Amino acid sequence: MLCFGMESDDEIRRVPEMGAEAAVTKAPGRDGGSAVGPTQPSAGGSKRRGKSPADRENKRLKRLLRNRVSAQQARERKKAYLIDLEARANELETKNAELEERLSTLQNENQMLRQILKNTTAGAQEGRK
């Protein structure tokens, strides 16, 4: 399990709404850039396309958190699936052993009945002679 600080499961699953101050808390070393984006022309000059660096950073952090939560949920689903498969395998092994025992019993019974039938028909044919 990956641990990022001392977060609880609830804190990990919660995707907080972040304000502009969250852009300064960017993790160092991710892309080699600084927490403050490149200087852009002022809003009064021309309209920029896209979002501000703070908005992009907020979106990135929210996506990372959603991915972390999704990955944890996938691991939990996989664990539950494996537990279910193991239980089913145990049930099938038990049933298989019971069926093998029953098969052996029925084969022995069949063999004894064939022997009795063989002895009975052989004795009846000798009695006619």
Side-chain angles (χ1 to χ4, degrees):
M1 179 173 132
L2 292 174
C3 290
F4 295 96
M6 301 298 287
E7 299 141 332
S8 69
D9 288 345
D10 292 335
E11 290 170 335
I12 290 173
R13 287 186 177 88
R14 192 176 323 124
V15 179
E17 292 297 323
M18 294 181 223
E21 69 277 356
V24 180
T25 63
K26 182 176 179 183
R30 286 278 182 177
D31 58 2
S34 64
V36 178
T39 58
Q40 297 288 331
S42 65
S46 66
K47 287 206 170 191
R48 289 185 354 187
R49 289 186 178 225
K51 301 184 180 217
S52 70
D55 288 342
R56 284 194 301 257
E57 182 64 14
N58 286 342
K59 188 174 181 180
R60 185 184 77 83
L61 291 173
K62 285 177 71 173
R63 178 178 45 84
L64 289 174
L65 286 172
R66 281 194 311 268
N67 286 347
R68 186 188 304 175
V69 170
S70 179
Q72 181 62 36
Q73 290 171 343
R75 286 189 292 271
E76 290 171 0
R77 282 192 306 269
K78 182 178 179 181
K79 186 176 181 180
Y81 176 72
L82 288 176
I83 289 170
D84 185 51
L85 277 182
E86 289 170 353
R88 190 166 181 329
N90 288 335
E91 289 173 12
L92 291 174
E93 286 174 358
T94 302
K95 186 171 184 176
N96 190 33
E98 291 170 359
L99 289 173
E100 285 177 348
E101 184 178 339
R102 184 170 181 211
L103 174 65
S104 176
T105 302
L106 290 173
Q107 285 176 334
N108 289 338
E109 183 181 348
N110 191 16
Q111 185 178 358
M112 286 189 295
L113 289 172
R114 285 178 187 266
Q115 188 65 38
I116 291 170
L117 182 63
K118 183 178 177 183
N119 292 341
T120 309
T121 56
Q125 287 178 353
E126 285 181 16
R128 289 185 200 163
K129 290 183 180 179

